[in-house]
């Protein structure tokens, strides 16, 4: 008699159950990952974005090994269903993250989907993408009185130093 | 005349004996040489260190081998727990010599048993599985005694175990030989009075590429399925190639090879732990 009920107890399981089964889950993640590599910023449901995040980072780790590495090439050609993205991965994304050792992706939550399901949505992007930032940096307003006075003070100081 | 020659001979032999006595001890030689060289007090020469040959411990293997129970499994437990366990494991290993062995080697284990005559019992068998990590590491020995298959699961670090001897050190094509339960009994029988086969402490461990013949189906598990990835069974005698191909195709999971979540790279961990364990053992 098996004392552990492997199917019912999920202690220590890291992979979420998605789609119709393990194969379907991998296929779904493959599609999302291909979309991410093509567009560098995508929005999906929160759970899918969270799952893809791990695979996206591991794919970059493999890409860093270089396209001469057999295992890296096999991984890239498996995970990217559109084969024109394989050179993009090795030539554009891998050099971009050369200096970083981890943390190549960023995930942010979005308002829930407008459909009946009101699903939790998230946006997932590779860092260093050409789009405007997800969290825009708020610049201080230069036209307030205090900022104008400070600006004048700084200019006077630089003039004094120059003389 | 004869008496004086005898006496002379004795004198000569005694002189020779004295001379040999003189030059046996190098210290004596050194001091005597110095004394003859110059009239200075002789320099202190420390005596040669005695060479202790420990005959109880067999020659340790010079192969680089880390027992699999030292490698922690993947999980969220604190590494400190495994560090503490490793310390205790090394302590036990200093008391009992746990030799290097693999699945497929033939071992003899003597365990303390209160109810047996002589308070110990000895079991000889082939190791079919090594499970568990840390202090709870186990190994299963299988043998067939009087036509009855017997498997005993021993804990490596149990205080009841008195000796573990490796009678034959070898590896097999798989790391799990549970299929021997469904194989013909001749493959699991081990002679209880087997003499240890000598093996060299250096060099590669021999791999026994034996392919085992099975009993007719049904088996306890579907050993032909790709999830077990068994190399050591003669499938061509059990099923047709078409059947084999069908089963391999139906139950294959080709995506598992590319699933990065299932990868667990232990090479760096292994090196660290190996260095640590070597250091602790040599203390």
């Amino acid at each position: 008699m098996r004392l552990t009920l492997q199917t019912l107890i999920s202690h220590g399981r890291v992979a979420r159950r998605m789609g119709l089964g393990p194969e379907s889950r991998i296929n779904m993640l493959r599609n999302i990952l291909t979309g991410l590599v093509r567009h560098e910023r995508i929005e999906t449901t929160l759970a899918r974005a969270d799952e893809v995040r791990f695979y996206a980072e591991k794919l970059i780790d493999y890409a860093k090994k270089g396209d001469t590495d057999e295992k890296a090439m096999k991984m890239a050609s498996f995970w990217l269903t559109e084969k024109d993205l394989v050179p993009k991965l090795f030539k554009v994304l891998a050099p971009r993250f050369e200096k970083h050792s981890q943390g190549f992706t960023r995930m942010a939550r979005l308002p829930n989907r407008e459909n009946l399901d009101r699903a939790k949505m998230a946006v997932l992007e590779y860092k260093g993408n050409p789009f405007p930032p997800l969290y825009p940096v708020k610049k201080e307003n230069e036209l307030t009185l205090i900022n104008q006075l400070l600006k004048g003070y700084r200019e006077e100081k630089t003039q004094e130093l120059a003389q | 005349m004869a008496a004086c020659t005898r006496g002379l001979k004795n004198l000569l032999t005694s002189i020779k004996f004295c001379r040999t006595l003189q030059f046996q001890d190098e210290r004596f030689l050194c001091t005597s040489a110095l004394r003859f060289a110059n009239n200075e007090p002789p320099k202190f020469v420390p005596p040669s260190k005695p060479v202790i040959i420990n005959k109880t411990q067999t020659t340790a293997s010079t192969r680089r081998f880390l027992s699999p129970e030292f490698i922690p499994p993947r999980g969220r437990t604190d590494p400190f727990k495994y560090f503490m366990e490793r310390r205790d494991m090394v302590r036990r290993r200093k008391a009992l010599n746990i030799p290097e062995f693999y699945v497929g080697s033939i071992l003899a284990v003597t365990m303390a048993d209160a109810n047996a005559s002589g308070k110990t019992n000895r079991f000889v068998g082939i190791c079919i599985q090594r499970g568990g990590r840390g202090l709870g590491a186990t190994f299963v020995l299988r043998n067939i005694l009087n036509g009855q298959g017997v498997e005993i699961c021993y804990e490596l670090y149990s205080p009841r175990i008195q000796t573990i001897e490796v009678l034959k050190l070898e590896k097999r094509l798989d790391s799990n030989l549970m299929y021997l339960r469904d194989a013909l009994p001749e493959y699991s029988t081990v002679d209880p009075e087997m003499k240890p086969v000598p093996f060299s402490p250096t060099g590669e461990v021999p791999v026994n590429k034996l392919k085992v013949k099975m009993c007719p189906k049904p088996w306890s598990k579907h050993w032909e399925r790709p999830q077990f990835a068994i190399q050591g069974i003669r499938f061509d005698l059990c099923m047709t190639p078409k059947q084999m191909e069908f089963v391999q195709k139906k139950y294959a999971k080709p995506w598992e090879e590319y699933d990065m979540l299932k990868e667990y790279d232990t090479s760096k961990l292994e090196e660290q732990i190996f260095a640590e364990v070597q250091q602790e053992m040599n203390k």
Side-chain angles (χ1 to χ4, degrees):
Chain A
M1 182 191 83
R2 281 220 78 169
L3 294 169
T4 54
L5 299 136
Q6 268 197 349
T7 43
L8 299 179
I9 298 176
S10 83
H11 289 170
R13 302 280 173 94
V14 275
R16 268 183 253 258
R17 295 159 74 179
M18 276 160 50
L20 307 163
E23 188 173 5
S24 163
R25 170 181 168 269
I26 293 278
N27 287 336
M28 257 173 42
L29 292 173
R30 248 207 292 195
N31 290 335
I32 299 170
L33 189 54
T34 309
L36 178 65
V37 170
R38 180 178 284 286
H39 302 110
E40 296 194 27
R41 180 188 284 181
I42 54 169
E43 61 173 70
T44 57
T45 58
L46 188 66
R48 286 173 199 172
D50 196 43
E51 285 285 293
V52 167
R53 211 173 169 192
F54 173 83
Y55 288 98
E57 309 218 332
K58 285 283 168 188
L59 189 68
I60 300 282
D61 279 328
Y62 268 107
K64 278 195 196 174
K65 291 189 184 172
D67 55 0
T68 45
D69 193 40
E70 214 190 277
K71 181 98 204 271
M73 192 45 98
K74 269 166 84 172
M75 279 285 178
S77 62
F78 175 81
W79 282 99
L80 300 170
T81 50
E82 286 151 34
K83 299 308 166 189
D84 52 318
L85 294 172
V86 173
K88 180 188 173 183
L89 175 73
F90 285 107
K91 301 230 161 74
V92 173
L93 292 179
R96 194 196 287 181
F97 299 114
E98 230 173 327
K99 302 276 166 54
H100 302 70
S101 66
Q102 34 133 355
F104 316 119
T105 55
R106 196 181 281 126
M107 191 164 85
R109 274 198 70 176
L110 289 172
N112 291 359
R113 211 194 259 159
E114 296 305 318
N115 293 2
L116 184 64
D117 63 6
R118 306 299 288 176
K120 295 181 190 173
M121 296 297 274
V123 62
L124 184 65
E125 62 164 17
Y126 274 125
K127 289 184 185 169
N129 62 60
F131 304 116
L134 278 177
Y135 296 99
V137 185
K138 223 174 170 185
K139 274 217 194 93
E140 278 209 12
N141 189 2
E142 246 205 29
L143 299 170
T144 55
L145 178 64
I146 294 176
N147 279 347
Q148 287 287 301
L149 292 170
L150 281 169
K151 190 173 155 191
Y153 175 73
R154 276 188 215 112
E155 277 170 12
E156 274 178 25
K157 276 282 166 189
T158 45
Q159 274 172 12
E160 271 177 33
L161 281 169
Q163 280 162 7
Chain B
M1 193 67 182
C4 79
T5 48
R6 207 192 311 128
L8 190 64
K9 215 194 225 174
N10 282 345
L11 186 62
L12 281 170
T13 47
S14 62
I15 288 170
K16 273 192 203 151
F17 190 60
C18 288
R19 211 183 292 148
T20 46
L21 267 179
Q22 264 193 3
F23 289 105
Q24 227 158 40
D25 199 350
E26 60 170 2
R27 171 185 8 160
F28 202 90
L29 169 67
C30 198
T31 51
S32 56
L34 273 169
R35 205 173 284 133
F36 293 134
N38 41 5
N39 294 325
E40 278 174 13
K43 230 166 73 172
F44 171 69
V45 175
S48 53
K49 284 220 173 103
V51 177
I52 304 167
I53 303 168
N54 187 359
K55 292 221 175 81
T56 48
Q57 184 123 51
T58 48
T59 49
S61 78
T62 47
R63 258 187 295 268
R64 201 198 145 90
F65 174 70
L66 182 68
S67 218
E69 68 267 5
F70 281 104
I71 302 160
R74 213 153 67 133
R76 292 191 341 185
T77 43
D78 200 348
F80 187 62
K81 179 211 173 199
Y82 298 115
F83 171 73
M84 287 205 289
E85 282 206 317
R86 256 178 275 142
R87 254 203 336 207
D88 289 332
M89 280 147 80
V90 165
R91 264 184 86 183
R92 175 69 186 155
R93 273 179 184 253
K94 284 187 181 159
L96 168 72
N97 174 33
I98 296 174
E100 168 195 355
F101 68 96
Y102 303 88
V103 167
S105 344
I106 298 174
L107 308 186
V109 174
T110 53
M111 193 169 73
D113 188 358
N115 302 321
S117 60
K119 300 292 178 198
T120 56
N121 67 27
R122 182 173 191 260
F123 185 75
V124 177
I126 186 167
C127 176
I128 56 173
Q129 179 184 274
R130 281 189 82 160
R133 297 281 179 270
L135 283 169
T138 56
F139 63 102
V140 181
L141 292 184
R142 181 182 166 81
N143 200 349
I144 298 189
L145 303 170
N146 295 357
Q148 173 64 51
V150 177
E151 284 182 14
I152 304 186
C153 176
Y154 291 103
E155 286 184 28
L156 273 169
Y157 297 96
S158 164
R160 281 176 70 187
I161 290 185
Q162 289 168 351
T163 54
I164 304 176
E165 312 158 34
V166 175
L167 300 176
K168 188 171 188 193
L169 181 72
E170 65 175 10
K171 278 197 217 189
R172 292 282 207 116
L173 290 168
D174 313 300
S175 60
N176 197 311
L177 297 177
M178 284 293 179
Y179 57 80
L180 289 179
R181 292 170 179 169
D182 300 315
L184 296 175
E186 64 198 40
Y187 296 101
S188 313
T189 35
V190 175
D191 179 22
E193 267 87 46
M194 186 174 145
K195 291 279 179 296
V197 168
F199 54 88
S200 72
T202 54
E204 290 281 323
V205 175
V207 178
N208 189 354
K209 299 209 166 124
L210 175 66
K211 292 218 170 191
V212 141
K213 294 190 191 153
M214 302 291 275
C215 289
K217 279 193 166 192
W219 296 330
S220 59
K221 290 239 150 71
H222 300 277
W223 301 115
E224 71 276 8
R225 291 196 184 167
Q227 65 184 102
F228 297 108
I230 288 179
Q231 304 294 314
I233 297 182
R234 287 285 308 267
F235 287 116
D236 49 330
L237 299 173
C238 321
M239 50 209 317
T240 60
K242 236 181 175 179
Q243 280 176 323
M244 186 66 182
E245 212 189 284
F246 173 76
V247 164
Q248 290 278 316
K249 216 168 137 186
K250 181 171 179 198
Y251 298 101
K253 293 186 190 173
W255 63 88
E256 265 197 359
E257 187 198 332
Y258 302 102
D259 193 352
M260 299 173 260
L261 205 57
K262 299 217 156 67
E263 282 167 16
Y264 182 38
D265 187 22
T266 53
S267 47
K268 286 193 185 120
L269 253 177
E270 250 191 71
E271 275 169 29
Q272 265 177 6
I273 292 172
F274 182 73
E276 192 189 312
V277 166
Q278 285 285 88
Q279 215 184 24
E280 292 281 307
M281 287 297 284
N282 293 338
K283 267 190 193 166

